[in-house]
Amino acid sequence: MDLTKEQIFEQMSKHSEKKNGLHDLIEFIIERIMLAERGEYLKDNKSDKGNGFRPIFSFGTGHKLEFRIPRTRYGGFYPQILAILRDQEEEYNRLAGTLYTKGLTQEQVCEVFE
């Protein structure tokens, strides 16, 4: 992923003015990582081509994050960063279930996650 300092500062200044600036910046960075991953995948798989995006939602630091996942024509590409996000989400669910079964109320579980 090749981002210049100017591009980074531009994105940071653009997103810092918004209400969800940090989350928008996280979405931007993760999307750029996925695009770079697809670029590397396409270098190794010359017969495949980039074919648009598909939406996906994840949760990060209490907010819903929306991503555009790059696709390939033959569907063989899957960004590795999504596996990390999925593992994190599964761990959140597991922790919430454990806290709830240990006797915490739903409100208390929400406070822990906040």
Side-chain angles (χ1 to χ4, degrees), residues 83-97:
I84 295 169
L85 292 174
R86 184 177 344 129
D87 291 345
Q88 183 181 11
E89 192 169 332
E90 288 173 3
E91 190 61 33
Y92 283 148
N93 292 336
R94 200 173 8 256
L95 177 61

Side-chain angles (χ1 to χ4, degrees), residues 34-35 38 41-42 48-55 68-79:
M34 288 187 288
L35 279 173
R38 181 175 73 176
Y41 173 82
L42 292 175
D48 208 353
K49 303 281 184 216
N51 190 24
F53 300 88
R54 63 182 170 91
R68 294 176 2 169
I69 299 175
R71 296 186 305 191
T72 58
R73 182 170 292 161
Y74 300 120
F77 171 70
Y78 186 80

